[in-house]
Amino acid sequence: MTFRANHLLGIEPLHPTEITTLLDLADSYADHNRKGIAHRDVLVGMTQINMFFENSTRTQASFEIAGKRLGADVMNMGMQASSIKKGETLIDTALTLNAMRPDLLVVRHPQSGAVDLLAQKVNCAVLNAGDGKHEHPTQALLDALTIRRAKGRLHRLSIAICGDISHSRVARSNIMLLGKMENRVRLIGPPTLMPSGISEFGVEVFEDMAAGLKDVDVVMMLRLQKERMDGGFIPSEREYFHRYGLDADKLSHAKPDAIVMHPGPMNRGVEIDGNIADDINRSVIQEQVEMGVAVRMAAMDLLAVNLRKKRGQEAIMA
Ligand code: NCD
């Protein structure tokens, strides 16, 4: 089986072989990017619209670069979170855009499920660039590619995801992807930041960093997502760093060759010590950004192939 999906809305609907197909293609794009080999024929004649209803630096830039590297015409629509009225407005926006006949629509939205809803209303391929606390599939895929390249495999690894799990779409998508690929996932964080019923996802839950990090291969840190918090989830940032911030002492419990990851943006001194983030022997944070472009190129390439097939079949039927 190759890649069947018409949209990339989440990790949940993907089959492990689809994940591997995408990662294999992204791996070759990553090598070509390093060598400066261009692939401007892949999306030539296609229009990509980036619609970000929430702030973004690396995800939006990375989707834009990926589209341009593959030859698409890329348009960025600046959508200010304050100006949206959700629901109807989103559908209206979708219908307006659809009338302009885009081929690829990249959407980030503060409401979980908004991107799925939008995908039902348009005739193009939709890529979820993060919807509320729900999913962030390209982030999990770029994390997977980074792990696979650093560790030489993406199965039977012990991976700790640490910090603000309950507000994190990155954590949700990663838990699903890493589980589908048969890894052992541990979640570490204060009970106030741990979603209830999370152990149903086949993960182990820890409150203590030293115990949770013991002998892991990968340490994935998460940002404290204050914009999604409506009260005091932590006593203070200083206390949080003391108990949950990744520093050399806590990292010493992981395997000696364990890698450190963070999706960005980082809060140095809150969830991670700046020295660990900058340690090129442990941190793969810059590789994650690099793999982000390759993964988004692969995702848009595969979706464009399926879109052309679908449109070809529709033309025959017409
Ligand atoms: C993440 C996001 O937006 O969900 N960032 C990203 O895409 N690189 C994580 C975060 O904001 O902390």
Side-chain angles (χ1 to χ4, degrees):
M1 182 175 42
T2 49
F3 195 81
R4 301 166 303 179
N6 292 320
H7 304 290
L8 182 59
L9 300 175
I11 297 298
E12 198 170 16
L14 293 182
H15 190 274
T17 57
E18 291 182 290
I19 294 172
T20 304
T21 301
L22 196 151
L23 294 181
D24 288 347
L25 181 60
D27 201 34
S28 68
Y29 275 132
D31 290 340
H32 288 182
N33 285 343
R34 283 193 182 174
K35 291 182 191 144
I37 301 170
H39 291 274
R40 295 197 202 284
D41 50 329
V42 174
L43 297 182
V44 75
M46 289 201 155
T47 302
Q48 172 191 338
I49 301 182
N50 296 336
M51 266 168 82
F52 281 67
F53 293 90
E54 242 185 34
N55 294 341
S56 169
T57 313
R58 69 218 80 219
T59 305
Q60 183 165 359
S62 159
F63 265 114
E64 183 174 353
I65 292 169
K68 285 181 174 164
R69 257 183 216 166
L70 296 179
D73 295 315
V74 185
M75 190 197 131
N76 287 309
M77 291 194 47
M79 324 288 303
Q80 276 311 314
S82 56
S83 69
I84 46 163
K85 288 255 160 50
K86 299 173 185 154
E88 282 177 344
T89 310
L90 177 70
I91 300 305
D92 280 347
T93 314
L95 294 176
T96 306
L97 284 174
N98 196 44
M100 296 181 200
R101 304 213 151 267
D103 303 289
L104 297 152
L105 206 50
V106 179
V107 188
R108 170 170 284 194
H109 196 278
Q111 275 191 310
S112 304
V115 184
D116 290 48
L117 191 68
L118 195 141
Q120 293 165 24
K121 308 281 175 193
V122 296
N123 309 315
C124 60
V126 176
L127 294 101
N128 182 0
D131 65 322
K133 296 189 279 184
H134 179 227
E135 281 235 39
H136 191 352
T138 55
Q139 180 69 44
L141 288 159
L142 76 86
D143 290 338
L145 183 59
T146 307
I147 295 170
R148 200 173 83 166
R149 284 169 73 106
K151 292 282 152 204
R153 65 180 200 276
L154 188 61
H155 59 273
R156 292 178 174 271
L157 291 167
S158 190
I159 297 159
I161 306 178
C162 316
D164 183 1
I165 311 285
S166 61
H167 298 103
S168 177
R169 54 196 175 206
V170 175
R172 273 185 61 90
S173 291
N174 264 303
I175 292 166
M176 278 186 273
L177 190 153
L178 295 168
K180 279 179 200 262
M181 306 314 274
E182 297 180 9
N183 296 283
R184 277 193 304 274
V185 178
R186 297 173 172 195
L187 305 180
I188 316 174
T192 47
L193 296 176
M194 202 58 76
S196 55
I198 191 72
S199 40
E200 285 163 30
F201 283 79
V203 293
E204 275 184 280
V205 179
F206 293 83
E207 245 182 80
D208 179 64
M209 283 288 270
L213 290 179
K214 192 165 170 14
D215 294 331
V216 298
D217 300 286
V218 178
V219 184
M220 192 181 284
M221 300 309 298
L222 297 172
R223 185 174 64 89
L224 265 188
Q225 313 226 341
K226 283 178 263 177
E227 73 277 19
R228 300 195 202 289
M229 297 180 187
D230 52 10
F233 284 80
I234 56 161
S236 72
E237 285 187 357
R238 218 174 125 196
E239 174 67 12
Y240 183 80
F241 181 72
H242 176 66
R243 292 202 59 192
Y244 293 101
L246 187 68
D247 56 12
D249 182 46
K250 296 189 191 84
L251 184 57
S252 70
H253 297 279
K255 283 199 183 143
D257 63 350
I259 54 168
V260 174
M261 308 179 75
H262 193 303
M266 262 187 288
N267 288 315
R268 290 168 184 258
V270 180
E271 70 265 358
I272 190 164
D273 182 340
N275 291 324
I276 298 287
D278 297 333
D279 180 352
I280 52 165
N281 296 313
R282 306 307 292 271
S283 163
V284 293
I285 295 170
Q286 295 308 321
E287 278 87 343
Q288 287 175 269
V289 178
E290 182 186 355
M291 292 310 123
V293 175
V295 153
R296 289 165 181 130
M297 288 169 79
M300 292 196 287
D301 179 344
L302 292 169
L303 290 175
V305 170
N306 291 352
L307 184 68
R308 286 197 180 100
K309 258 190 231 156
K310 197 173 131 207
R311 287 185 178 160
Q313 280 158 4
E314 282 166 4
I316 293 166
M317 305 289 276

